Amino acid sequence: MVSNYRGYRPPQGMVSWALHRLAGLGVLVFLLLHIVDIFAVGYGPEAFNELLFIYRHPVFRVGELILVAGLYYHALNGVRIILVDFWSQGWKYERQMFQAVIALFLLTFIPTALLMLRPLF
Amino acid sequence: MQVHLRIQRYNPEVDAKPYFAEYDVEVEPTDRVLDALNLVKWYHDGTLTYRRSCAHGVCGSDAMRINGRNRLACKLLIRDVGTNITIEPLIGFRIIRDLVVDMEPFFEAYKSVLPFLINDDPAPVGERLQSPEDRQRFDDTTKCILCACCTSSCPITWTNDEFVGPAAIVNAHRFIYDSRDQAAAERLAILNQKSGVWRCRTVFNCTEACPRGIQVTRAIEEVKRSLLTGDVS
Ligand code: SF4
Ligand code: SF4
Ligand code: FES
């Protein structure tokens, strides 16, 4: 089945869809992790605060950055999909909207990344 | 000019699995990929198997994957694909032999959307007249030649056998918006099922692949919106 995906030279729309899926699944995995760490609140504020040290670890910081990338892309491309679904002219501008998604993604992600990685240096 | 063809071959009676065979043939830049296939079959290896009939982009029999995209071999010029050409069968169907796949599931899906005029009024003496504007409403989807380029390009159909696929929806669209037809509600109900339009994730692969230039995703989205609003005008 995976070989099917390799067998087709992806047009732009397929790239946007594959990224959307990947980002969506990534965010889902983080959500599960988040449920686990919130669970620690049940053991009192000290336990919770202690657990938060993981989030300051550099490896985790980079992981969070990937999460933010996934969130931004999924949100922006989600708006594009909504427009394709509900705006009767959406199909016409599908490609331009994808380019806009990429542009807005870079515009928002780069400053966020700089802010988030600053404490590491 | 000389072109190098890599063609996926598979004869289930003797081969354990598909493999690639390579051929060099002499063609003109203005020849079609189908001409190159014919040269192989006629002068190199008569066992090469593929479908073709009209050779003019009308019958829809020679859809195949050419350099990784679904195309009609008879509509694609050599000069537009370059000198290294990889040819594989359509994805998502059982291979019968070489480039010939089992299209039965494709036509089953097509038949499931009632792709014919349904009108219980007594037939008029002449024709069932329709204004040019009403005819224009579904003009785009009348152009389908049932080649399966779209359905087989859709990533959803590769993993979901139930999805009726874009071609069936295009052909439902052709009647849903026809002012002479009376079964729009029935077809919409069929496409509202689990196997229907909601499986479409607006990937646009179908639109990119359609050799007739049909705005396939647009048609699917119109059906989706009709299901939401109940408006079939
Ligand atoms: S637009 Fe819909 S039907 Fe067409 S390829 Fe994409 S998911 Fe499949
Ligand atoms: S909609 Fe286009 S790609 Fe799909 S079957 Fe019809 S002609 Fe072929
Ligand atoms: S042979 Fe008929 S469409 Fe190509």
Side-chain angles (χ1 to χ4, degrees):
Chain A
M1 274 186 184
V2 177
S3 65
N4 286 344
Y5 297 99
R6 270 192 273 122
Y8 208 77
R9 191 158 50 87
Q12 183 189 274
M14 188 170 157
V15 173
S16 77
W17 165 79
L19 285 175
H20 197 78
R21 277 262 152 118
L22 216 65
L25 287 174
V27 171
L28 184 73
V29 168
F30 178 82
L31 200 67
L32 296 178
L33 198 74
H34 192 48
I35 289 172
V36 172
D37 70 50
I38 288 296
F39 183 71
V41 173
Y43 293 95
E46 296 83 34
F48 182 67
N49 282 341
E50 208 156 298
L51 200 73
L52 282 186
F53 81 94
I54 341 176
Y55 286 94
R56 280 179 222 113
H57 191 276
V59 173
F60 228 90
R61 262 289 141 114
V62 174
E64 274 185 313
L65 198 64
I66 297 172
L67 168 75
V68 167
L71 279 173
Y72 281 12
Y73 177 77
H74 203 79
L76 289 167
N77 194 53
V79 174
R80 167 175 164 269
I81 295 175
I82 291 170
L83 285 171
V84 168
D85 276 337
F86 290 98
W87 174 36
S88 65
Q89 304 303 306
W91 60 276
K92 235 186 263 172
Y93 306 104
E94 171 260 324
R95 300 179 72 86
Q96 289 89 325
M97 286 197 287
F98 182 62
Q99 284 151 14
V101 163
I102 296 298
L104 283 173
F105 173 81
L106 293 175
L107 225 60
T108 48
F109 179 69
I110 292 172
T112 314
L114 290 175
L115 277 176
M116 284 179 70
L117 290 180
R118 208 165 42 191
L120 291 187
F121 300 108
Chain B
M1 69 193 270
Q2 202 178 48
V3 292
H4 183 72
L5 301 171
R6 267 179 85 239
I7 306 178
Q8 183 176 316
R9 307 285 315 260
Y10 177 56
N11 176 355
E13 283 170 19
V14 293
D15 303 323
K17 56 178 200 273
Y19 63 96
F20 280 96
E22 321 224 344
Y23 309 91
D24 292 301
V25 290
E26 197 61 41
V27 289
E28 297 293 326
T30 48
D31 279 343
R32 305 152 305 167
V33 173
L34 179 64
D35 297 307
L37 281 173
N38 286 341
L39 286 175
V40 172
K41 186 167 178 73
W42 295 339
Y43 302 110
H44 293 260
D45 185 347
T47 65
L48 177 67
T49 309
Y50 50 92
R51 284 196 185 99
R52 64 106 176 79
S53 182
C54 70
H56 289 85
V58 181
C59 71
S61 16
D62 61 343
M64 51 188 78
R65 230 173 339 141
I66 302 172
N67 287 350
R69 296 268 176 92
N70 287 353
R71 297 290 184 260
L72 295 179
C74 65
K75 258 195 103 169
L76 191 58
L77 299 186
I78 297 286
R79 66 164 182 227
D80 295 327
V81 279
T83 51
N84 282 310
I85 308 171
T86 302
I87 305 177
E88 298 157 287
L90 295 178
I91 300 178
F93 298 112
R94 182 178 64 87
I95 302 176
I96 296 174
R97 183 164 167 170
D98 294 343
L99 302 172
V100 176
V101 294
D102 179 8
M103 303 270 287
E104 247 355 277
F106 174 78
F107 287 111
E108 283 306 318
Y110 166 65
K111 286 181 217 155
S112 76
V113 303
L114 315 174
F116 39 80
L117 185 86
I118 299 176
N119 186 330
D120 290 333
D121 295 345
V125 185
E127 299 143 51
R128 290 183 197 273
L129 290 178
Q130 184 173 48
S131 73
E133 293 74 34
D134 283 347
R135 174 61 179 72
Q136 196 55 36
R137 174 65 189 87
F138 58 94
D139 185 64
D140 200 36
T141 45
T142 61
K143 298 185 295 192
C144 175
I145 57 174
L146 293 171
C147 64
C149 274
C150 57
T151 294
S152 159
S153 76
C154 172
I156 311 301
T157 67
W158 302 339
T159 50
N160 182 334
D161 291 334
E162 275 182 19
F163 180 35
V164 289
I169 304 171
V170 161
N171 286 279
H173 180 285
R174 184 250 169 272
F175 288 99
I176 290 172
Y177 301 97
D178 187 336
S179 60
R180 299 162 297 187
D181 187 272
Q182 296 174 341
E186 233 172 297
R187 291 192 196 87
L188 285 175
I190 294 168
L191 293 177
N192 200 15
Q193 292 171 340
K194 217 163 94 240
S195 53
V197 287
W198 307 112
R199 294 283 74 74
C200 166
R201 292 293 190 271
T202 59
V203 181
F204 284 90
N205 272 16
C206 50
T207 307
E208 194 275 340
C210 180
R212 305 283 298 147
I214 298 171
Q215 289 298 334
V216 182
T217 312
R218 176 192 188 184
I220 298 172
E221 291 297 297
E222 286 178 356
V223 173
K224 285 183 189 170
R225 281 195 293 271
S226 283
L227 276 169
L228 286 178
T229 61
D231 179 8
V232 285
S233 57

Coordinates of all heavy atoms in Angstrom, one line a residue, chain A residues 7-66:
Chain A
G7 N 4.5 5.2 -6.0 CA 4.3 4.9 -7.5 C 3.7 6.1 -8.2 O 3.7 6.0 -9.4
Y8 N 3.2 7.1 -7.5 CA 2.6 8.2 -8.2 C 3.4 9.5 -8.0 O 3.7 9.8 -6.8 CB 1.2 8.4 -7.7 CG 0.3 9.0 -8.8 CD1 -0.2 8.3 -9.8 CD2 0.0 10.4 -8.7 CE1 -1.0 8.8 -10.8 CE2 -0.8 10.9 -9.7 CZ -1.3 10.1 -10.7 OH -2.1 10.7 -11.7
R9 N 3.8 10.1 -9.0 CA 4.6 11.4 -8.9 C 3.7 12.5 -8.4 O 2.8 12.9 -9.1 CB 5.2 11.7 -10.2 CG 6.2 12.8 -10.2 CD 7.1 12.7 -11.4 NE 6.4 12.7 -12.7 CZ 5.9 13.7 -13.4 NH1 6.2 14.9 -12.9 NH2 5.2 13.5 -14.5
P10 N 3.8 12.9 -7.1 CA 2.8 13.7 -6.5 C 2.6 15.1 -7.1 O 3.5 15.9 -7.2 CB 3.2 13.8 -5.1 CG 4.7 13.5 -5.1 CD 4.9 12.6 -6.2
P11 N 1.4 15.4 -7.6 CA 1.1 16.8 -8.0 C 1.0 17.6 -6.7 O 0.9 17.1 -5.6 CB -0.3 16.7 -8.7 CG -0.5 15.2 -8.9 CD 0.3 14.5 -7.9
Q12 N 1.0 18.9 -6.9 CA 1.0 19.8 -5.8 C -0.1 19.5 -4.7 O 0.1 19.5 -3.5 CB 0.8 21.3 -6.3 CG 0.9 22.3 -5.2 CD 0.5 23.6 -5.7 OE1 1.3 24.4 -6.2 NE2 -0.8 24.0 -5.6
G13 N -1.3 19.2 -5.2 CA -2.4 18.9 -4.3 C -2.2 17.7 -3.4 O -2.5 17.7 -2.3
M14 N -1.5 16.7 -4.0 CA -1.2 15.5 -3.2 C -0.1 15.8 -2.1 O -0.2 15.3 -1.0 CB -0.7 14.4 -4.1 CG -0.5 13.1 -3.5 SD -0.2 11.8 -4.7 CE 0.6 10.6 -3.7
V15 N 0.8 16.7 -2.4 CA 1.8 17.2 -1.4 C 1.1 17.9 -0.3 O 1.3 17.6 0.9 CB 2.8 18.1 -2.1 CG1 3.8 18.7 -1.0 CG2 3.6 17.4 -3.2
S16 N 0.2 18.8 -0.6 CA -0.5 19.5 0.4 C -1.3 18.6 1.3 O -1.4 18.7 2.5 CB -1.5 20.6 -0.2 OG -2.7 20.0 -0.7
W17 N -1.9 17.6 0.7 CA -2.8 16.6 1.4 C -1.9 15.7 2.3 O -2.2 15.5 3.5 CB -3.6 15.7 0.5 CG -4.2 14.5 1.0 CD1 -5.3 14.4 1.8 CD2 -3.7 13.2 0.9 NE1 -5.5 13.1 2.1 CE2 -4.6 12.3 1.5 CE3 -2.6 12.6 0.2 CZ2 -4.4 10.9 1.6 CZ3 -2.4 11.2 0.3 CH2 -3.3 10.4 1.0
A18 N -0.8 15.2 1.8 CA 0.1 14.4 2.6 C 0.7 15.1 3.8 O 0.7 14.6 4.9 CB 1.3 13.8 1.7
L19 N 1.1 16.4 3.6 CA 1.6 17.2 4.7 C 0.5 17.4 5.7 O 0.8 17.4 6.9 CB 2.1 18.6 4.2 CG 3.4 18.6 3.4 CD1 3.7 20.0 2.9 CD2 4.6 18.2 4.4
H20 N -0.7 17.6 5.2 CA -1.8 17.9 6.1 C -2.1 16.7 7.1 O -2.3 16.8 8.3 CB -3.1 18.2 5.3 CG -4.2 18.8 6.1 ND1 -4.1 20.2 6.4 CD2 -5.3 18.4 6.7 CE1 -5.2 20.5 7.1 NE2 -5.9 19.4 7.3
R21 N -2.0 15.5 6.5 CA -2.2 14.2 7.2 C -1.1 14.1 8.3 O -1.3 13.8 9.4 CB -2.1 13.0 6.3 CG -3.4 12.7 5.6 CD -4.1 11.6 6.3 NE -5.5 11.7 6.0 CZ -6.3 10.8 5.4 NH1 -5.8 9.7 5.0 NH2 -7.6 11.1 5.2
L22 N 0.1 14.2 7.8 CA 1.3 14.1 8.6 C 1.2 15.0 9.8 O 1.5 14.6 11.0 CB 2.6 14.4 7.8 CG 3.8 13.5 8.0 CD1 3.5 12.1 7.7 CD2 5.0 14.0 7.2
A23 N 0.9 16.3 9.5 CA 0.8 17.3 10.6 C -0.3 16.9 11.5 O -0.1 17.0 12.8 CB 0.6 18.7 10.0
G24 N -1.4 16.5 11.0 CA -2.5 16.1 11.8 C -2.2 15.0 12.8 O -2.5 15.0 14.0
L25 N -1.5 14.0 12.3 CA -1.1 12.8 13.1 C -0.1 13.2 14.1 O -0.2 12.8 15.3 CB -0.6 11.7 12.2 CG -1.6 10.9 11.4 CD1 -1.0 9.9 10.5 CD2 -2.6 10.2 12.3
G26 N 0.8 14.1 13.8 CA 1.8 14.6 14.7 C 1.2 15.3 15.9 O 1.5 15.1 17.0
V27 N 0.2 16.2 15.6 CA -0.4 16.9 16.6 C -1.2 16.0 17.5 O -1.2 16.1 18.7 CB -1.4 18.0 16.0 CG1 -2.3 18.6 17.0 CG2 -0.6 19.1 15.3
L28 N -1.8 14.9 16.9 CA -2.5 13.9 17.7 C -1.6 13.2 18.7 O -1.9 13.1 19.9 CB -3.1 12.9 16.8 CG -4.0 11.9 17.5 CD1 -5.3 12.5 17.9 CD2 -4.3 10.7 16.5
V29 N -0.4 12.9 18.3 CA 0.6 12.2 19.1 C 0.9 13.1 20.3 O 1.0 12.7 21.5 CB 1.8 11.8 18.4 CG1 2.9 11.4 19.3 CG2 1.5 10.7 17.4
F30 N 1.1 14.4 20.0 CA 1.4 15.3 21.1 C 0.3 15.4 22.1 O 0.5 15.5 23.3 CB 1.8 16.7 20.5 CG 2.1 17.7 21.6 CD1 3.3 17.8 22.2 CD2 1.1 18.6 22.1 CE1 3.6 18.7 23.2 CE2 1.3 19.5 23.1 CZ 2.6 19.5 23.6
L31 N -0.9 15.4 21.5 CA -2.1 15.5 22.4 C -2.1 14.4 23.4 O -2.4 14.6 24.6 CB -3.3 15.5 21.5 CG -4.6 16.1 22.2 CD1 -4.4 17.5 22.4 CD2 -5.8 15.7 21.3
L32 N -1.7 13.2 23.0 CA -1.7 12.0 23.9 C -0.7 12.3 25.0 O -0.9 12.0 26.2 CB -1.4 10.8 23.1 CG -2.5 10.4 22.1 CD1 -2.0 9.1 21.3 CD2 -3.8 10.1 22.8
L33 N 0.5 12.8 24.5 CA 1.6 13.1 25.5 C 1.1 14.1 26.5 O 1.4 14.0 27.7 CB 2.8 13.6 24.7 CG 4.1 13.6 25.4 CD1 4.6 12.1 25.4 CD2 5.1 14.5 24.7
H34 N 0.4 15.1 26.0 CA -0.1 16.2 26.8 C -1.1 15.7 27.9 O -1.1 16.1 29.0 CB -0.8 17.2 25.9 CG -1.1 18.5 26.6 ND1 -0.1 19.2 27.4 CD2 -2.2 19.2 26.7 CE1 -0.7 20.3 27.9 NE2 -1.9 20.3 27.5
I35 N -1.9 14.7 27.5 CA -2.8 14.1 28.4 C -2.1 13.5 29.6 O -2.4 13.6 30.8 CB -3.7 13.1 27.7 CG1 -4.7 13.8 26.8 CG2 -4.5 12.3 28.7 CD1 -5.5 12.9 25.9
V36 N -1.0 12.8 29.2 CA -0.1 12.1 30.2 C 0.4 13.2 31.2 O 0.4 13.0 32.4 CB 1.0 11.3 29.6 CG1 1.9 10.8 30.6 CG2 0.4 10.2 28.8
D37 N 1.0 14.3 30.7 CA 1.7 15.2 31.6 C 0.6 16.0 32.4 O 0.9 16.3 33.6 CB 2.7 16.2 30.9 CG 2.0 17.2 30.0 OD1 1.1 17.9 30.4 OD2 2.4 17.3 28.8
I38 N -0.6 16.2 31.9 CA -1.6 16.9 32.7 C -2.1 16.0 33.8 O -2.4 16.4 34.9 CB -2.8 17.3 31.8 CG1 -2.4 18.5 30.9 CG2 -4.0 17.6 32.6 CD1 -2.1 19.7 31.6
F39 N -2.0 14.7 33.5 CA -2.3 13.7 34.5 C -1.5 13.8 35.8 O -2.0 13.6 36.9 CB -2.1 12.3 33.9 CG -2.5 11.1 34.8 CD1 -3.8 10.9 35.0 CD2 -1.5 10.3 35.4 CE1 -4.2 9.8 35.8 CE2 -1.9 9.3 36.2 CZ -3.2 9.0 36.4
A40 N -0.3 14.3 35.7 CA 0.6 14.5 36.8 C 0.1 15.5 37.8 O 0.4 15.5 39.0 CB 2.0 14.9 36.4
V41 N -0.8 16.4 37.4 CA -1.4 17.4 38.2 C -2.1 16.7 39.4 O -2.1 17.2 40.5 CB -2.4 18.3 37.5 CG1 -3.1 19.3 38.4 CG2 -1.7 19.1 36.4
G42 N -2.6 15.6 39.1 CA -3.3 14.8 40.2 C -2.5 14.5 41.4 O -2.9 14.2 42.5
Y43 N -1.1 14.5 41.1 CA -0.2 14.2 42.2 C 0.3 15.5 42.9 O 1.3 15.5 43.6 CB 1.0 13.4 41.7 CG 0.6 12.0 41.3 CD1 0.3 11.8 39.9 CD2 0.4 11.0 42.2 CE1 -0.1 10.5 39.5 CE2 0.0 9.7 41.8 CZ -0.2 9.5 40.4 OH -0.6 8.3 40.0
G44 N -0.4 16.6 42.7 CA -0.1 17.8 43.4 C 0.8 18.7 42.5 O 1.4 18.2 41.6
P45 N 0.9 20.0 42.9 CA 1.6 21.0 42.1 C 3.1 20.7 42.0 O 3.7 20.9 41.0 CB 1.4 22.3 42.8 CG 0.6 22.0 44.0 CD 0.1 20.6 44.0
E46 N 3.7 20.1 43.1 CA 5.1 19.9 43.0 C 5.5 18.8 42.0 O 6.4 19.0 41.2 CB 5.6 19.4 44.4 CG 5.5 20.4 45.5 CD 4.1 20.3 46.1 OE1 3.5 19.2 46.2 OE2 3.6 21.4 46.5
A47 N 4.7 17.8 42.0 CA 4.9 16.7 41.0 C 4.8 17.2 39.6 O 5.7 17.0 38.7 CB 3.9 15.6 41.2
F48 N 3.8 18.1 39.4 CA 3.6 18.6 38.0 C 4.8 19.5 37.6 O 5.3 19.4 36.5 CB 2.3 19.4 38.0 CG 1.9 20.0 36.7 CD1 1.6 19.1 35.6 CD2 1.9 21.3 36.4 CE1 1.3 19.6 34.4 CE2 1.6 21.8 35.2 CZ 1.3 21.0 34.2
N49 N 5.1 20.4 38.5 CA 6.2 21.3 38.2 C 7.5 20.6 37.9 O 8.3 21.0 37.1 CB 6.5 22.3 39.4 CG 5.4 23.4 39.4 OD1 4.8 23.6 38.3 ND2 5.2 24.1 40.5
E50 N 7.7 19.5 38.7 CA 8.9 18.7 38.5 C 9.0 18.1 37.1 O 10.0 18.1 36.4 CB 9.0 17.6 39.6 CG 10.4 17.2 39.9 CD 10.4 16.6 41.3 OE1 10.0 17.3 42.3 OE2 10.7 15.4 41.4
L51 N 7.8 17.7 36.7 CA 7.7 17.0 35.4 C 8.0 18.0 34.2 O 8.5 17.6 33.2 CB 6.3 16.4 35.2 CG 6.2 15.3 34.1 CD1 6.8 14.1 34.7 CD2 4.7 15.1 33.8
L52 N 7.7 19.3 34.5 CA 7.8 20.2 33.4 C 9.3 20.5 33.0 O 9.5 21.1 32.0 CB 7.2 21.6 33.9 CG 5.7 21.6 33.8 CD1 5.2 23.0 34.0 CD2 5.2 21.2 32.4
F53 N 10.2 20.0 33.8 CA 11.6 20.2 33.5 C 11.9 19.5 32.1 O 12.7 20.0 31.3 CB 12.6 19.6 34.5 CG 12.8 18.1 34.4 CD1 13.8 17.6 33.6 CD2 11.9 17.2 35.0 CE1 14.0 16.2 33.5 CE2 12.0 15.8 34.8 CZ 13.1 15.3 34.1
I54 N 11.1 18.4 31.8 CA 11.4 17.8 30.4 C 11.2 18.8 29.3 O 11.9 18.7 28.3 CB 10.4 16.6 30.1 CG1 9.7 16.1 31.4 CG2 11.1 15.5 29.3 CD1 8.7 15.0 31.0
Y55 N 10.2 19.7 29.5 CA 9.9 20.6 28.4 C 11.0 21.6 28.2 O 11.0 22.3 27.2 CB 8.5 21.3 28.7 CG 7.4 20.3 28.5 CD1 6.8 19.6 29.5 CD2 6.8 20.1 27.2 CE1 5.8 18.8 29.4 CE2 5.8 19.3 27.0 CZ 5.2 18.6 28.1 OH 4.2 17.7 27.9
R56 N 11.9 21.7 29.2 CA 13.0 22.7 29.0 C 14.2 22.0 28.4 O 15.1 22.7 28.0 CB 13.3 23.3 30.3 CG 12.3 24.4 30.6 CD 12.6 25.1 31.9 NE 11.3 25.3 32.6 CZ 10.9 24.7 33.7 NH1 11.8 23.9 34.3 NH2 9.8 25.0 34.2
H57 N 14.2 20.7 28.3 CA 15.3 20.0 27.7 C 15.4 20.3 26.2 O 14.4 20.4 25.5 CB 15.0 18.5 27.8 CG 16.2 17.6 27.5 ND1 16.5 17.3 26.2 CD2 17.2 17.1 28.3 CE1 17.6 16.6 26.2 NE2 18.1 16.5 27.5
P58 N 16.6 20.5 25.7 CA 16.8 21.0 24.3 C 16.1 20.0 23.3 O 15.5 20.5 22.3 CB 18.3 20.9 24.1 CG 18.9 21.1 25.4 CD 17.9 20.5 26.4
V59 N 16.2 18.7 23.5 CA 15.6 17.8 22.6 C 14.1 18.0 22.5 O 13.5 18.0 21.4 CB 15.9 16.3 23.0 CG1 15.1 15.3 22.1 CG2 17.3 16.0 22.9
F60 N 13.5 18.3 23.7 CA 12.1 18.5 23.7 C 11.7 19.9 23.1 O 10.7 20.0 22.4 CB 11.6 18.5 25.2 CG 10.4 17.7 25.4 CD1 10.6 16.3 25.7 CD2 9.2 18.2 25.2 CE1 9.5 15.5 25.8 CE2 8.0 17.4 25.3 CZ 8.2 16.1 25.7
R61 N 12.6 20.8 23.3 CA 12.4 22.1 22.6 C 12.2 22.0 21.1 O 11.3 22.5 20.5 CB 13.6 23.1 22.9 CG 13.3 24.0 24.0 CD 12.3 25.1 23.6 NE 11.4 25.4 24.6 CZ 11.3 26.6 25.2 NH1 12.1 27.5 24.9 NH2 10.4 26.8 26.2
V62 N 13.2 21.2 20.5 CA 13.1 21.0 19.1 C 11.8 20.2 18.7 O 11.2 20.5 17.7 CB 14.4 20.2 18.6 CG1 14.3 19.9 17.1 CG2 15.6 21.1 18.9
G63 N 11.5 19.2 19.6 CA 10.2 18.5 19.3 C 9.1 19.4 19.3 O 8.2 19.4 18.5
E64 N 9.1 20.4 20.3 CA 8.0 21.3 20.3 C 7.9 22.2 19.1 O 6.8 22.6 18.6 CB 8.2 22.3 21.6 CG 7.6 21.7 22.8 CD 7.7 22.7 24.0 OE1 8.8 23.2 24.2 OE2 6.7 22.9 24.7
L65 N 9.1 22.5 18.6 CA 9.2 23.3 17.4 C 8.5 22.6 16.2 O 7.8 23.2 15.4 CB 10.7 23.6 17.1 CG 10.9 24.8 16.1 CD1 10.4 26.1 16.8 CD2 12.4 24.9 15.8
I66 N 8.8 21.3 16.1 CA 8.2 20.5 15.1 C 6.7 20.5 15.2 O 5.9 20.6 14.3 CB 8.7 19.1 15.0 CG1 10.2 19.1 14.7 CG2 8.0 18.2 14.1 CD1 11.0 17.8 14.8

